[in-house]
Amino acid sequence: MRYPEGGGLTAERRAFREGVRLQAGEQFAAGEKTAVIAKDLRVSVRSVERWRRAWREGGMEGLRSAGPANSPTVTDEQFAVLEEELGKGPSAHGFEDERWTLARVQTLIRRHLRVSLSVATVWRLLKRHGWSWQAPARRALERDEHAVEVEEGGVAAGKSIAAASGAWIVFEDEAGFSMTPPRARTWGRRGQTPVIRVRGRSRRRTSVAALCCYKPGEKSRLIHRPRTHLLRKGARKSFSWKDYRDLLVRAHIQLNGPIVVVWDNLNTHLAAGLKRYEAEHDWLTTVRLPPYAPDLNPVEAVWSLVRRAMANTAFETPDDLDLTLRRELRRIQLRPHLVDGCLTATSLAINPPTPP
């Protein structure tokens, strides 16, 4: 806030201004003209006229300070109550969608705290208590939060297996990219929407399966495998279980050790051939993520980095798309701290094994 007392003037500044008004009062009594007093005290003529009216009505006492402004405030105890109500969500308070706007928070304060604040004061109040204007994360309605908490133990078990056996823990996910790039905000003249020229129709689509690999004491790794699909009738539009098998074999060779794969419940991941291959090779262990829980997979953050770099890019040919994908994935591969940051975004941690 601007002043330490929640708005208005400080005590020192109020005392200073009161002294100026009292000097003007002494000159009023001496019969000085308004213009002379304004020039002598270096204030505006309108201020001197306002002080003269107050002096005529109340004398010198009418020029004294009335103290700090008694503006409505919200104490820390009251904000704790407000924060609890905000945590229930806008729909719980009768609003149509899940957006907390300043006007809605202002209404909530009026309802529950019986305090009337301006929108600007609400903004300062929220900012002072650590709130900010953010884009919300999406979460599926079908997601079972209790199941996620329970099955997170499965992910933790995977980390324990990796730590105990000296294996790498590997998160896997796949994503598709087309000739139409993701859109991102850009500066433009007001009233003129910027335009990005893209291909109106493309019969090429590129899928990428990626592995984020972690092991205590080792640099984090990113391993990926692209696959180009022709959008024609009968053509496969995704990875087969053999593609996933080949990717895991490639990771096993590059990492030079056993791996524990953590991935979702995609039907291809549950294929009988892939399960049989896992049973026949002791260097491979798989752990399932809970349904509708992409926030537990660091590869999702990798896709965000790639799409952010590709935003508003007009691809003229499929080769341009493939080249850009490979370049951005290579950029992440050469920066292990980015792969570490993707894991941090999931709130998971890979801990070293506890010595016996």
Side-chain angles (χ1 to χ4, degrees), residues 332-343:
I332 299 173
Q333 282 181 320
L334 296 176
R335 293 165 174 81
H337 68 276
L338 291 179
V339 185
D340 290 334
C342 294
L343 178 65

Side-chain angles (χ1 to χ4, degrees), residues 264-327:
D264 56 24
N265 292 278
L266 184 70
N267 56 356
T268 313
H269 296 162
L270 304 175
L274 201 55
K275 289 184 177 181
R276 184 168 56 252
Y277 185 83
E278 177 187 356
E280 295 172 353
H281 296 80
D282 56 0
W283 56 264
L284 177 61
T285 305
T286 60
V287 177
R288 309 294 176 189
L289 284 169
Y292 302 102
D295 51 304
L296 297 180
N297 196 334
V299 187
E300 293 287 346
V302 172
W303 303 140
S304 297
L305 292 174
V306 173
R307 288 192 170 95
R308 187 182 307 168
M310 296 172 55
N312 294 358
T313 303
F315 301 110
E316 295 184 0
T317 65
D319 292 337
D320 291 339
L321 172 63
D322 294 342
L323 181 63
T324 302
L325 276 173
R326 293 177 184 274
R327 184 182 67 242

Side-chain angles (χ1 to χ4, degrees), residues 3 16 34 96 108 116 131 152 215 234 288 352:
Y3 297 110
F16 172 77
T34 298
E96 295 179 356
L108 194 66
S116 180
W131 287 63
E152 275 188 17
K215 183 179 179 181
R288 309 294 176 189

Side-chain angles (χ1 to χ4, degrees), residues 224-242:
H224 62 88
R225 184 185 186 94
R227 181 184 176 91
T228 301
H229 308 285
L230 294 177
L231 300 182
R232 60 188 180 189
K233 189 175 181 180
R236 187 178 181 89
K237 300 180 178 61
S238 62
F239 285 88
S240 67
W241 73 267
K242 293 182 179 180

